[in-house]
């Protein structure tokens, strides 16, 4: 009786708190409910009259999900089990290709060698959810390393839901926070799976607390483990109130039993915690809770689904993919809690109506709208991955690229299963497929020609690191072919030619990112390359306001050049809030026709020319605002070129008076290592002029988070390995650009001047 009384006492104490929470959250809930209600209303109003019942049933039993996590949390291992239990593969193979095969979703040789996912891989499977029938699931397994973050970004752009995998020992890590931010950007509902509960030091309830504290999510366990580490035997379903065990050589048989007596008290406490968390985000459960009644299993299932789809709650499941425990229940949760395509609000911009926002209704009888979200160069030509948002895509049909307005034929239509393809004749709304022979760019929208819709593009971060690259064999035709292909496939991989140094410069998200592409050039194109020292993507900016009054006057044989510009430049603050409209970088306040309106764009172009190369070290300039206040023109000698040059020289003159500074990329660095190396690791960070933000000690290891200049992070990987006997690991992610220290700025300027003198000689 004691646990029951304690629980009732806890319930009554939290009654007032819950009431207060209810009032506090009411406004937010109303907004969310309206948003999803309006989606349903739009769907029913526009299309339910014409919808085919079979198409509606197909959509209701369809899930598009991504599996995302920090590196080494077990995403690919989980996906391998999912494919095995759904019958898509006949045997389980482990990551790193230890058995000579490697995981199905890591099809690239480099992935199997290094044991990491480099490219996101798509597949689909069929899952029979007990007592509910068959469900079709499209799955994209994404990389965990921050250098390949664009793969996660474009996957989440087109998915309806996600499984966030967390390590039962390490919990919320740096890339987990990045993935969470990406999920929020595209409003992707997620369920959380705490993996690796068979490892020493696993603590799932500590991980749930980290989800609440670090990710600011309302989260609660819908399962608890039966034992931990070597004693992990199964999980307890807190909603259905059953103990779940996996039996068989690969855990393929799921057995339901009564909850062991030893776990009744813990299960009762955690079920109550689940109800209380749901009462904060769901009106129906809040009402039951306030009436001091106990919700049924069906009421809890419905509440978890409603709150998850509304992005107000994340249910937490538990298990160990490697030990084949709890994976089938993750599939059940995907079907039970994540939305189908009709429950997700997708919009496009109607070009013919001045880019008015329109809702996309995911039924196959509507006009076709699809988004090309990923490109790959295969042996049969370019393979384009497409998410069908509306209508159906048929083999042999003609589709129109909204960006280029070109009409193209779909010669071949396939479903992807990692690196394998299965030909299909038609793909319905809500599905993910791939087409061959369609030339386009990543992020292009396709329609059937009846609509002039375009979809918003995905967020693409700027590169933070560059290095020069030269083929060992000069004039190799495959060199430029490889670079062109990689640029097309990966928007974060950039290629430029430096006219001064006569070198090809490649830029990307990190050292590993560029290393992989250099290695791929060697393996896929037989091009051996020599790479230079990595270069940091410095930027320049100004710290104060400076006025300009510049006259560009040049007299030649015929008509001369004349243009006068007056105004000032000032620092431009970046928008801190995503909803905040940034100020325009260029503004004209000229009145009275002193500068004719047809010359104003030329002044802006001259300003843009000036931003391309700073006067301090020749790097691009950012966060500068150009205000044009007045000027003068000549009836004969003034031209667009004259005003463009006047603006360029005026900007350069004012720039040096506006206290210019050099900005360097600052990285968020997270290091995990055994606790005995804590002093050494922190000492090394101090040596690299890092700012320690947080140190967390977890059992036998520690996690330190710091901000360090990218320029000081080169070679850190080998330093950390030697300092921690190979046991330490770190991740690094771009945070912002900040001014360098004065002595560093002086060194960089002197280095740039010496380089310029050498080039002149």
């Amino acid at each position: 009786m004691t646990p029951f009384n304690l629980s009732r006492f806890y319930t009554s104490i939290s009654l007032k708190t819950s009431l207060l929470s209810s009032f506090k959250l009411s406004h937010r809930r109303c907004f969310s409910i309206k948003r999803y209600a309006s989606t349903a209303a739009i769907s029913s109003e526009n299309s339910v009259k014409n919808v085919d019942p079979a198409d509606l049933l197909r959509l209701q039993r369809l899930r598009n999900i991504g599996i995302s996590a920090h590196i080494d949390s077990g995403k690919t291992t989980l996906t391998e089990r999912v494919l095995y239990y759904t019958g898509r593969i006949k045997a389980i193979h482990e990551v790193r290709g230890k058995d000579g095969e490697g995981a199905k979703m890591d099809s690239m040789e480099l992935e199997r060698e290094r044991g990491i996912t480099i490219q996101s891989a798509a597949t689909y499977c069929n899952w029979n959810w007990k007592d509910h029938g068959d469900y079709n699931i499209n799955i994209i397994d994404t990389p965990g390393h921050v250098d390949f973050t664009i793969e996660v970004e474009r996957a989440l752009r087109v998915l309806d839901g996600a499984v966030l995998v967390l390590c039962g020992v390490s919990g919320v890590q740096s890339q987990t926070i990045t993935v969470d931010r990406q999920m929020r950007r595209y409003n992707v509902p997620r369920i959380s799976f705490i993996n690796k509960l068979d490892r020493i030091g696993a603590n799932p309830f500590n991980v749930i607390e980290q989800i609440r504290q670090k990710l600011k999510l309302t989260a609660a366990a819908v399962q608890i483990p039966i034992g931990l580490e070597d004693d992990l035997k199964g999980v307890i379903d807190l909603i259905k109130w059953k103990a779940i065990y996996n039996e068989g050589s690969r855990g393929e048989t799921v057995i339901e039993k009564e909850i062991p007596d030893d776990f009744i008290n813990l299960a009762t406490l955690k079920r109550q915690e689940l109800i209380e968390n749901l009462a904060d985000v769901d009106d129906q459960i809040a009402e039951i809770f306030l009436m001091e009644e106990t919700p049924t299993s069906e009421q809890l299932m419905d509440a978890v689904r409603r709150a998850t789809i509304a992005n107000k709650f994340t249910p937490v499941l538990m298990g160990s993919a490697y030990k084949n425990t709890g994976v089938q229940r993750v599939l059940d949760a995907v079907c039970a809690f994540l939305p189908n395509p009709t429950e997700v609000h997708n919009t496009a911009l109607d070009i013919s109506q001045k880019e008015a926002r329109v809702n996309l209704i995911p039924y196959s009888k509507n006009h076709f709208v699809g988004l090309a979200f990923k490109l790959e160069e295969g042996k049969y030509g370019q393979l384009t991955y497409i998410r069908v948002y509306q209508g159906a895509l048929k083999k042999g049909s003609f589709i129109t690229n909204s960006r280029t307005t070109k009409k193209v034929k779909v010669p071949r239509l396939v479903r992807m299963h990692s690196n394998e393809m299965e030909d299909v004749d038609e793909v319905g709304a809500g599905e993910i497929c791939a087409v061959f022979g369609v030339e386009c760019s990543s992020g292009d929208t396709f329609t059937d020609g009846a609509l002039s819709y375009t979809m918003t593009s995905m967020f693409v971060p700027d590169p933070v690191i560059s290095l020069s690259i030269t083929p060992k064999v000069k004039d190799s035709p495959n060199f430029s072919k490889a670079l062109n292909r990689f640029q097309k496939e990966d928007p974060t991989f950039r290629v430029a030619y430096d006219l001064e140094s006569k070198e090809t410069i490649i830029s990307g998200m990190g050292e590993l990112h560029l290393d992989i592409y250099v290695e791929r050039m060697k393996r896929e194109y037989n091009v051996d390359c020599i790479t230079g020292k990595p270069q940091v993507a410095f930027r320049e900016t100004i710290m104060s306001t400076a006025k300009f009054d510049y006259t560009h006057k040049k007299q030649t044989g015929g008509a001369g050049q004349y243009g006068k510009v007056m105004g000032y430049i000032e620092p431009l603050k970046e928008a801190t809030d995503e909803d905040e409209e940034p100020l325009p970088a260029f503004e004209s306040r000229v009145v009275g026709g002193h500068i004719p309106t047809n010359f104003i764009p030329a002044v802006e172009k001259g300003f843009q020319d000036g931003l391309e190369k700073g006067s301090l070290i020749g790097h691009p300039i950012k966060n500068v605002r150009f205000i044009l206040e007045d000027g003068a023109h000549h009836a004969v000698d003034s031209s667009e070129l004259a005003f463009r040059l006047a603006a360029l020289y005026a900007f350069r003159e004012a720039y040096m008076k506006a206290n210019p500074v050099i900005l360097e990329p600052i990285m968020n660095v997270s290091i995990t290592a055994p606790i005995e190396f804590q002093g050494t690791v922190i000492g090394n960070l101090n040596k690299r002029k890092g700012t320690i933000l947080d140190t967390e000690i977890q059992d036998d290891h520690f996690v330190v988070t710091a901000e360090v200049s990218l320029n000081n992070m080169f070679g850190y990987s080998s330093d950390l390995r030697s300092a921690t006997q190979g046991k330490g690991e770190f991740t690094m992610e771009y945070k912002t650009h900040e001014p360098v220290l004065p002595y560093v700025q002086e060194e960089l300027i002197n280095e740039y001047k010496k380089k310029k003198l050498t080039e002149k000689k």
Side-chain angles (χ1 to χ4, degrees), residues 300-577:
L300 282 175
M301 287 286 282
D302 291 345
V304 171
R305 179 174 178 76
R306 280 193 302 271
T308 304
I309 291 174
N311 270 316
K312 296 187 288 184
F313 179 77
T314 176
V316 182
L317 295 96
M318 303 183 184
S320 168
Y322 186 69
K323 293 293 183 183
N324 311 309
T325 303
V327 176
Q328 289 94 331
R329 282 305 197 221
V330 173
L331 283 164
D332 288 348
V334 165
C335 301
F337 304 138
L338 292 179
N340 65 56
T342 66
E343 294 171 306
V344 179
H345 191 186
N346 290 306
T347 60
L349 304 175
D350 190 345
I351 301 167
S352 64
Q353 298 294 324
K354 297 182 179 178
E355 296 196 352
R357 199 170 285 275
V358 289
N359 296 296
L360 297 176
I361 313 300
Y363 296 128
S364 298
K365 284 189 176 178
N366 293 346
H367 290 293
F368 167 71
V369 179
L371 179 72
F373 66 95
K374 178 177 162 69
L375 309 177
E376 269 182 24
E377 193 71 32
K379 53 186 175 183
Y380 303 110
Q382 182 176 297
L383 180 68
T384 306
Y385 287 76
I386 291 180
R387 162 71 195 262
V388 182
Y389 282 97
Q390 181 177 290
L393 183 59
K394 297 175 184 177
K395 180 183 175 182
S397 64
F398 284 89
I399 56 176
T400 303
N401 187 326
S402 295
R403 180 177 58 86
T404 63
T405 67
K406 283 185 181 177
K407 187 182 270 193
V408 289
K409 188 178 181 180
V410 180
R412 188 180 175 194
L413 188 61
V414 296
R415 284 183 186 277
M416 297 304 298
H417 179 43
S418 186
N419 61 335
E420 295 171 9
M421 299 158 213
E422 294 173 14
D423 283 274
V424 290
D425 292 325
E426 183 178 343
V427 171
E431 298 277 6
I432 291 171
C433 63
V435 295
F436 276 107
V438 175
E439 281 299 313
C440 66
S441 298
S442 183
D444 280 358
T445 303
F446 286 95
T447 68
D448 58 4
L451 302 170
S452 53
Y453 288 179
T454 182
M455 300 196 71
T456 52
S457 58
M458 70 198 89
F459 172 76
V460 179
D462 289 327
V464 295
I465 190 170
S466 304
L467 52 84
S468 61
I469 183 168
T470 313
K472 285 185 178 177
V473 178
K474 295 283 170 118
D475 303 321
S476 170
N478 283 350
F479 179 66
S480 57
K481 191 178 175 183
L483 291 179
N484 288 334
R485 173 194 160 185
F486 296 152
Q487 268 193 108
K488 210 170 184 184
E489 283 183 10
D490 184 351
T492 59
F493 179 76
R494 313 274 172 87
V495 181
Y497 184 73
D498 190 332
L499 291 168
E500 292 178 356
S501 63
K502 305 289 188 291
E503 289 179 323
T504 301
I505 307 294
I506 57 172
S507 307
M509 300 307 295
E511 286 181 271
L512 178 63
H513 188 210
L514 298 180
D515 281 350
I516 291 292
Y517 278 116
V518 171
E519 186 64 28
R520 283 183 66 188
M521 287 179 81
K522 182 180 175 183
R523 295 187 186 206
E524 295 172 30
Y525 288 90
N526 296 317
V527 179
D528 255 346
C529 293
I530 301 162
T531 56
K533 184 189 170 189
Q535 298 167 350
V536 174
F538 289 110
R539 294 288 180 267
E540 297 183 28
T541 192
I542 57 172
M543 302 300 285
S544 60
T545 302
K547 291 190 174 185
F548 58 82
D549 182 349
Y550 188 86
T551 305
H552 175 66
K553 195 187 291 183
K554 190 175 181 184
Q555 197 62 46
T556 54
Q561 290 181 17
Y562 181 87
K564 181 177 182 178
V565 289
M566 297 165 65
Y568 63 92
I569 60 171
E570 65 178 4
L572 176 65
K573 287 184 181 177
E574 290 182 287
T576 50
D577 186 1

